Amino acid sequence: MNYGYLTVLVVYLIVVLGVGVWGLKRESYDGYTVAEHNVGLPLSVGSFFATYISSATVVGFVGYTTLNGAAIFPTYFWGFALGWITLTLAAARMRGLGLRTVPSLFQARHKSSGLRAISAAVIVVAFVFSVMTQLVAGSIVLNVVVGIPQVVALVLLAVVLTIYTVMGGLVAVIRTDFLQGGLILVAVLSAFAVVVANVGGDLFRIEADQSNLFQGSITSPVDVIAFLLIAWGGVAAQPYYLHRFFAAKDAFTARQMIGVGALLATIVYLAIMFIGMALPQLLPSDQLGDSAMIAFGLDQGGILGSLLLIGIVCAVQSTVDSALHLAGVYTTEDIIVRFRSTMTEDTKLFLARSVTAILGVVCMGGAIYFVISGGEFIVTLLNLWLGTLSSAILIPLYGSLLWRRATALGALCSSVGGFLGYFTTLMLTEYGGVQVPGHPIFYGFGISLAAMVVISLVTKPVSDPEVNRIFFGDAEEPNQVTSP
Amino acid sequence: MMQFWLATILFVILGLTPLVLATMMNRRQRRSSTRETAQ
């Protein structure tokens, strides 16, 4: 066991717990769910950025670049950037709705509680798997670097973030995100500086095979389009980021949160890409891939090793606390409360906290089970649900938000059709041994888009002045003035 | 080599676009709300 790293980890966990729960006032339900719709720019940016950077970014993308060079751009980076642009364009409109949850948009727009509950269920299940995989990934890093047993590492990570999320809700999540975002930025930029110090001018010596865009997951231009769709849709329809719009104090903050957050993410991605390009010069070939960043940190040791360790733990916790919080809030607000509309705000707050705590324990238990049983299929489940999120949520959400002619049945068929299109094709190709042309995302996205357009056009739209005013900025009908 | 730098430049342009868009859209909204207040 490395006691130096263990001390750094314990100090970090105490500090983050303190930042999460220190000075919390008696919380309201609105505070727990959307931080009273009153978060300013610095905290919004910190929260968006920290939630955005997950362990996949710090560990996975470096590893992918060490093996596949410039293919990281078409596989992930370009699509993500298109997602940021879409979020910027949607920010003010989303903030203007004044909602508490993403699924409630469907009820506000179409008066459809069924579509609201279905989309909430899809999001909650996706988040439960996301939390479990991130916890497993974080515990592997702690096991390798610090030397503590993986289950103990997992419990440490999960218990701390569950405590501050349950106690402080979105306020605590955003506060800790701000701290975690800063630490991630420092860790990645320090690693970049150390790489530059080691390789010098050779940082820009890109080998011919590293310059090739068609390697790794990308084998043809069709793959480029498929991965652009997945990455773009995965960011643009991601409830983590959309929910931050509801918490922002106004439309200006909502837009600029993405603007500045995207700038920080661009800087981190460039640093990560150059680290990945340079590590083959510094590490033996058997340490490239997913283990590259950890091997580099261990090799350097000292302050950089500690910073990278904390950076990775921050990346895990900042993404997991947001997912856990939203899973608890959406289960409460979009599913349970629908059955008992007479609940007081205090009862809802107690319920949201209880559901978040239960989900935290369930996720921790599930992650421990996967660690003990050595199951690999958790990653397959995560990919399946993330693809489902893009196929089942993206088009109905943006169609409802931006297209006046969209109808409830169109959005419902788009969501269910997108889910079935992606899920069925993926199952057929992965497990049925059936050769289906193209990527499964084309079927999910294509069916979702076609269903939204065709079914909306053949069904009668409901004209509601309130919906038109909130969603499309129509002025209210002037009251008729009668002369005395 | 050239392909790598073009891919990087494209990413930087796409990555900075949200900041430019958000700044322009906020400025336009502020200007129009100031005009409305003045009227």
Side-chain angles (χ1 to χ4, degrees):
Chain A
M1 191 178 299
N2 186 319
Y3 289 99
Y5 286 146
L6 182 64
T7 310
V8 171
L9 175 70
V10 170
V11 169
Y12 160 77
L13 289 175
I14 292 169
V15 169
V16 83
L17 192 61
V19 168
V21 301
W22 176 71
L24 282 177
K25 290 176 285 189
R26 191 180 173 278
E27 189 146 48
S28 66
Y29 183 58
D30 231 20
Y32 189 85
T33 53
V34 285
E36 312 275 1
H37 303 286
N38 197 28
V39 182
L41 187 61
L43 283 176
S44 291
V45 169
S47 184
F48 169 74
F49 170 72
T51 307
Y52 192 83
I53 306 291
S54 65
S55 62
T57 314
V58 182
V59 177
F61 292 172
V62 169
Y64 188 85
T65 311
T66 60
L67 299 175
N68 305 302
I72 191 78
F73 288 111
T75 317
Y76 299 111
F77 289 1
W78 290 341
F80 288 161
L82 290 174
W84 305 334
I85 294 171
T86 310
L87 286 174
T88 312
L89 295 173
R93 194 172 282 218
M94 287 290 286
R95 175 61 188 82
L97 300 176
L99 300 172
R100 275 179 181 158
T101 69
V102 173
S104 65
L105 181 145
F106 293 112
Q107 186 154 25
R109 173 72 172 82
H110 300 298
K111 313 294 176 204
S112 167
S113 55
L115 186 56
R116 178 179 185 174
I118 289 172
S119 60
V122 169
I123 292 169
V124 169
V125 175
F127 280 177
V128 165
F129 286 117
S130 166
V131 168
M132 286 197 280
T133 34
Q134 289 271 334
L135 286 176
V136 172
S139 67
I140 292 172
V141 173
L142 289 185
N143 175 245
V144 171
V145 177
V146 185
I148 49 179
Q150 207 182 333
V151 172
V152 176
L154 200 151
V155 171
L156 268 178
L157 287 177
V159 166
V160 168
L161 71 90
T162 304
I163 288 175
Y164 71 69
T165 306
V166 168
M167 286 182 73
L170 192 61
V171 176
V173 168
I174 287 176
R175 262 197 212 175
T176 51
D177 280 351
F178 187 77
L179 169 74
Q180 289 156 342
L183 288 171
I184 293 169
L185 198 60
V186 170
V188 171
L189 294 182
S190 305
F192 176 72
V194 172
V195 166
V196 172
N198 273 283
V199 300
D202 284 348
L203 182 72
F204 301 114
R205 199 192 71 204
I206 308 297
E207 303 292 338
D209 59 330
Q210 289 183 309
S211 186
N212 184 9
L213 297 175
F214 294 92
Q215 49 184 327
S217 305
I218 306 288
T219 55
S220 66
V222 176
D223 285 339
V224 174
I225 297 169
F227 277 88
L228 281 180
L229 260 181
I230 292 171
W232 165 65
V235 170
Q238 183 56 262
Y240 301 143
Y241 318 134
L242 297 169
H243 194 88
R244 296 288 182 278
F245 292 146
F246 303 143
K249 73 173 181 184
D250 52 32
F252 301 106
T253 307
R255 275 196 203 107
Q256 206 58 280
M257 167 181 81
I258 306 296
V260 181
L263 172 71
L264 294 178
T266 302
I267 292 168
V268 164
Y269 278 168
L270 286 174
I272 273 173
M273 185 268 297
F274 278 114
I275 292 170
M277 287 287 193
L279 282 186
Q281 299 175 44
L282 299 172
L283 294 173
S285 59
D286 63 327
Q287 287 185 345
L288 301 182
D290 279 348
S291 60
M293 195 64 157
I294 298 166
F296 177 62
L298 282 173
D299 186 45
Q300 295 295 320
I303 294 175
L304 183 71
S306 305
L307 275 173
L308 276 179
L309 171 70
I310 296 306
I312 293 169
V313 173
C314 286
V316 171
Q317 283 196 322
S318 58
T319 308
V320 171
D321 61 12
S322 298
L324 183 64
H325 170 258
L326 290 197
V329 168
Y330 289 11
T331 305
T332 308
E333 175 77 7
D334 297 315
I335 301 174
I336 300 174
V337 170
R338 297 304 101 207
F339 296 107
R340 279 196 63 189
S341 52
T342 52
M343 260 185 217
T344 64
E345 296 286 287
D346 279 349
T347 315
K348 285 190 209 171
L349 176 60
F350 176 74
L351 192 60
R353 280 188 162 141
S354 308
V355 172
T356 309
I358 291 167
L359 286 174
V361 173
V362 167
C363 291
M364 189 173 72
I368 291 172
Y369 169 75
F370 283 112
V371 168
I372 292 171
S373 66
E376 288 287 320
F377 62 99
I378 189 170
V379 178
T380 313
L381 283 174
L382 174 71
N383 287 337
L384 199 150
W385 278 105
L386 285 181
T388 303
L389 204 64
S390 301
S391 308
I393 304 288
L394 182 75
I395 299 294
L397 183 95
Y398 280 92
S400 301
L401 186 69
L402 304 172
W403 191 33
R404 200 183 276 261
R405 188 64 182 73
T407 65
L409 192 62
L412 184 65
C413 292
S414 171
S415 186
V416 175
F419 169 74
L420 290 177
Y422 180 75
F423 185 81
T424 313
T425 321
L426 193 73
M427 288 295 115
L428 284 174
T429 49
E430 291 280 320
Y431 304 107
V434 180
Q435 284 293 322
V436 180
H439 193 282
I441 193 70
F442 292 138
Y443 296 89
F445 185 83
I447 291 171
S448 182
L449 184 62
M452 186 74 188
V453 173
V454 174
I455 308 232
S456 289
L457 288 176
V458 297
T459 47
K460 195 171 177 292
V462 178
S463 181
D464 183 332
E466 182 66 7
V467 169
N468 289 339
R469 187 182 64 79
I470 296 171
F471 279 84
F472 304 106
D474 287 3
E476 276 181 291
E477 290 286 316
N479 291 330
Q480 200 172 2
V481 179
T482 48
S483 51
Chain B
M1 182 78 171
M2 192 64 183
Q3 199 174 27
F4 166 79
W5 288 112
L6 288 175
T8 308
I9 290 166
L10 175 60
F11 172 63
V12 171
I13 292 170
L14 289 173
L16 295 181
T17 303
L19 184 63
V20 175
L21 269 178
T23 307
M24 279 169 44
M25 289 166 89
N26 279 354
R27 198 172 289 170
R28 202 174 60 181
Q29 194 178 336
R30 275 210 182 89
R31 226 178 268 154
S32 70
S33 60
T34 313
R35 213 176 298 140
E36 274 170 26
T37 314
Q39 282 172 358

